[in-house]
Amino acid sequence: MKQASATVRDVARVAEVSVASVSRALNGHSSVRPDMRARVLAAAKALGYVPHAGARSLSLARSHAIGVVLPDLYGEFFSEIVRGMDREVTARGYHLLLSNMHADAALAAQAMRSMRGRVDGLIVMAPQLDVAELDEALPRDVPAVLVNCRETTGRAAYRIDNAAGISSAVAHLAATGRRRLLHISGPDGNIDGRERRDAFLAAMAVHAPESGPIVIEGDFREESGVAAVRRLIATGETCDGIVAANDMMALGAMSALREAGVAVPGDIAVTGFDDVPLARYLGLTTVRINLAEMGASATARLIDALDGGALSPDTDIVATELVIRSTTGPLST
């Protein structure tokens, strides 16, 4: 049964652990055993515990803060989204409270519940959670806008048009004479990674049906782009184009190709996805999303609702655009 004023000591008592253990478990400390973490999270959920009990007094008043929960707080992709959010909240007299979204569903839920009482609304990006996990994690009494989450009903949301973006990249490479393409995908458990992989396979069936597409799974980090190219070379397989599921893996792939003495784009062309600032600087052909604008739009939509408007349960599809730069072009003859 939930208590109106549960404290960390209450959680410790119910979970039968020390207060220090509760703190470590709720903060995702690696030294906590899985069974202990599970007990602590279950106790916190049962009691309705919200960290920083003093902040609960804010729940009856406007904090003029927007909580932002992201799967990662690092990297240009997320920094661009947050830049747009920050621009919007500054103009509207609000401020941001950022939190990292753990991959573990229970810890992710705790991260979102911890925002209750501190913020007026939430913007959540949780591409790794399934619909049931996300629904369980979201506080019922806090307005929320979802960004790049799996299909949900009844909630305001933004989704990137992944299929159109990847299809345009494959069509462009095919038009330059490329037929044997490698896709460095995002992780299968990530909705963007899965949609971009599926779009790649569908586009290959249209533009290069005679060629067997190659897919190597990455994790959206530069290092996995390096590893994918090294793996391709080690297996003896060949390709004349790489369609990476994001810019950082594309840049990692370019680094590994340079290391192997492979010319880009003469021997292998490379495309990315997102158009982060570094991609522009290094001349990467990529699928552009206006990340800052997406962040600003999601923030404005939430603040409009908080300031008396309606938060419609519609999904806005974020358009993409292929930007052609120096990493693609005709094959060397």
Side-chain angles (χ1 to χ4, degrees):
M1 180 179 297
K2 292 184 179 181
Q3 296 180 199
S5 56
T7 68
V8 67
R9 294 185 182 279
D10 295 324
V11 176
R13 173 178 50 78
V14 172
E16 298 181 337
V17 298
S18 68
V19 170
S21 293
V22 171
S23 177
R24 287 193 294 270
L26 295 181
N27 285 294
H29 200 284
S30 60
S31 66
V32 179
R33 299 192 313 272
D35 61 323
M36 180 183 291
R37 178 177 285 115
R39 287 209 313 278
V40 170
L41 293 175
K45 180 179 178 182
L47 294 169
Y49 170 71
V50 177
H52 298 283
R56 282 196 298 272
S57 63
L58 297 176
S59 62
L60 299 178
R62 294 289 296 276
S63 67
H64 283 82
I66 301 297
V68 181
V69 185
L70 301 172
D72 197 342
L73 297 181
Y74 306 98
E76 292 196 55
F77 178 90
F78 298 104
S79 66
E80 281 294 288
I81 292 175
V82 172
R83 184 172 67 84
M85 292 176 176
D86 185 63
R87 183 184 72 206
E88 188 66 24
V89 296
T90 300
R92 303 286 291 269
Y94 283 72
H95 62 275
L96 295 178
L97 181 62
L98 301 178
S99 180
N100 188 59
M101 167 74 74
H102 296 281
D104 178 88
L107 290 175
Q110 183 64 33
M112 281 188 258
R113 285 196 297 270
S114 71
M115 290 283 190
R116 192 189 306 125
R118 300 176 175 184
V119 300
D120 296 333
L122 281 173
I123 300 175
V124 177
M125 180 181 289
Q128 78 279 24
L129 298 184
D130 65 30
V131 174
E133 290 171 335
L134 180 60
D135 189 61
E136 172 69 16
L138 285 166
R140 297 290 183 270
D141 55 346
V142 181
V145 174
L146 309 182
V147 179
N148 276 27
C149 296
R150 304 192 190 194
E151 290 290 350
T152 58
T153 56
R155 294 190 183 277
Y158 287 80
R159 295 286 302 280
I160 295 169
D161 193 347
N162 290 311
I166 289 292
S167 295
S168 67
V170 173
H172 168 61
L173 291 180
T176 66
R178 318 279 172 168
R179 287 294 182 273
R180 181 71 168 158
L181 302 185
L182 161 67
H183 178 55
I184 307 176
S185 76
D188 184 63
N190 180 289
I191 187 60
D192 287 319
R194 187 181 308 163
E195 287 185 354
R196 293 173 194 182
R197 179 203 62 201
D198 291 348
F200 170 78
L201 295 174
M204 286 293 289
V206 172
H207 296 287
E210 76 288 352
S211 175
I214 312 166
V215 177
I216 297 177
E217 185 173 326
D219 63 6
F220 287 134
R221 298 179 186 274
E222 183 179 354
E223 294 80 7
S224 66
V226 172
V229 167
R230 287 176 177 170
R231 176 178 165 186
L232 182 80
I233 293 171
T235 60
E237 288 194 271
T238 60
C239 72
D240 51 27
I242 294 175
V243 178
N246 79 334
D247 288 343
M248 297 314 295
M249 292 193 298
L251 296 176
M254 289 167 56
S255 176
L257 290 172
R258 183 172 60 249
E259 175 187 87
V262 177
V264 176
D267 298 324
I268 298 179
V270 179
T271 68
F273 202 114
D274 294 334
D275 198 28
V276 299
L278 189 58
R280 300 164 215 168
Y281 177 75
L282 295 177
L284 175 67
T285 293
T286 189
V287 177
R288 172 181 291 164
I289 315 163
N290 192 326
L291 297 170
E293 184 57 36
M294 182 173 69
S297 179
T299 305
R301 185 174 175 183
L302 179 59
I303 293 176
D304 285 345
L306 294 172
D307 288 349
L311 190 56
S312 62
D314 301 322
T315 297
D316 285 3
I317 303 300
V318 180
T320 60
E321 173 193 3
L322 182 69
V323 181
I324 300 172
R325 299 193 180 104
S326 61
T327 61
T328 59
L331 280 162
S332 296
T333 57

